[in-house]
Amino acid sequence: MDCLFCKIIDGEIPSNKVYEDDMMLAFHDINPQAPEHIVIVPKCHIASANEINAENVKYVAAIWKKIPQIASELGFAENGYRVVNNCGEDGGQTVPHLHFHLMGGKKFTDL
């Protein structure tokens, strides 16, 4: 499979890891949009939010459970943070592997 995030998960492409377990990988975004910008990907290839189903939803649940801990460990949970998922081309998804952007360290304005 020619998936950028699968290659990062497999170690073919290096990343600056923040957290990893058997369900997910979290790493610093190479083009940060905030002082803290972490990309969190499930280790199971799920193309987009449209592909979440009964079999793979456990990966998404594990990610959402871990987000507050990652934000806390990086020191921005108390002040707040933003979690973004882009779905499909019109939604701004540029890598066809489900991922979440965890951003903090600044005050965000309304969308």
Side-chain angles (χ1 to χ4, degrees), residues 2-110:
D2 192 33
C3 171
L4 174 68
F5 290 157
C6 286
K7 289 179 180 180
I8 291 172
I9 291 165
D10 291 340
E12 295 175 41
I13 297 173
S15 66
N16 186 358
K17 294 179 187 177
V18 171
Y19 178 81
E20 182 175 19
D21 65 21
D22 59 331
M23 303 289 280
M24 73 191 80
L25 175 64
F27 53 92
H28 289 277
D29 194 294
I30 61 169
N31 185 25
Q33 304 299 306
E36 293 288 348
H37 186 162
I38 308 303
V39 177
I40 307 172
V41 299
K43 285 193 170 178
C44 168
H45 183 83
I46 304 168
S48 75
N50 288 335
E51 303 297 319
I52 298 170
N53 59 41
E55 293 177 17
N56 62 30
V57 72
K58 64 185 176 186
Y59 291 90
V60 179
I63 288 170
W64 279 101
K65 185 176 178 182
K66 188 59 67 173
I67 284 173
Q69 180 183 336
I70 294 170
S72 180
E73 289 174 0
L74 293 175
F76 59 85
E78 188 173 316
N79 288 335
Y81 50 89
R82 179 174 281 178
V83 180
V84 176
N85 169 258
N86 301 321
C87 182
E89 187 177 337
D90 284 358
Q93 184 177 5
T94 58
V95 178
H97 185 121
L98 179 69
H99 58 285
F100 299 90
H101 298 269
L102 170 60
M103 296 176 283
K106 75 173 200 173
K107 188 172 185 95
F108 291 94
T109 58
D110 293 336

